[in-house]
Amino acid sequence: MLQILTVCGNGIGSSNLLAMKINQLAKAKGIALKAKSMDFNSARGQKADLIVTVKEFADQFPKGSPVVAVRSYVNKKQIEEDVFPHLQALIQKGGQVE
């Protein structure tokens, strides 16, 4: 199962909504993953298959981190367009965090 972190400033509102949207979209597509929300500072020390956040936070993660920026925390179509190509690539590689 893929481990996804959704990140915002406090890890409560926006990232929680994003995690719910990603979980819903993944379920509809038959993709096994668990998305959980987290604040930016905590997320920097976590391992995940993919970190999903907005550009302002994405740019602050260390180079080489598995980060993708979304254009919206709430728009399902944009989330799907921004995130799911990266999830498909992860699935094809078979890469998951241990």
Side-chain angles (χ1 to χ4, degrees):
M1 178 176 292
L2 295 172
Q3 299 298 316
I4 310 300
L5 291 180
T6 58
V7 178
C8 69
N10 293 319
I12 299 169
S14 303
S15 61
N16 193 36
L17 184 58
L18 179 59
M20 289 189 313
K21 301 269 186 195
I22 290 173
N23 283 322
Q24 290 170 354
L25 286 164
K27 184 176 181 180
K29 292 178 172 292
I31 297 173
L33 64 76
K34 178 171 172 71
K36 81 176 188 181
S37 64
M38 192 167 285
D39 68 276
F40 174 74
N41 287 325
S42 297
R44 289 175 44 139
Q46 297 292 313
K47 291 193 182 238
D49 293 302
L50 191 63
I51 300 167
V52 183
T53 189
V54 290
K55 184 174 180 0
E56 293 77 17
F57 289 117
D59 292 342
Q60 296 180 51
F61 280 94
K63 282 206 182 276
S65 296
V67 179
V68 62
V70 291
R71 293 170 282 169
S72 170
Y73 281 117
V74 297
N75 184 304
K76 270 188 170 179
K77 183 177 182 203
Q78 288 180 346
I79 293 166
E80 183 175 4
E81 291 170 355
D82 295 341
V83 175
F84 280 81
H86 297 277
L87 291 177
Q88 292 295 340
L90 281 171
I91 291 166
Q92 289 174 352
K93 288 181 187 175
Q96 292 184 15
V97 141
E98 306 224 353

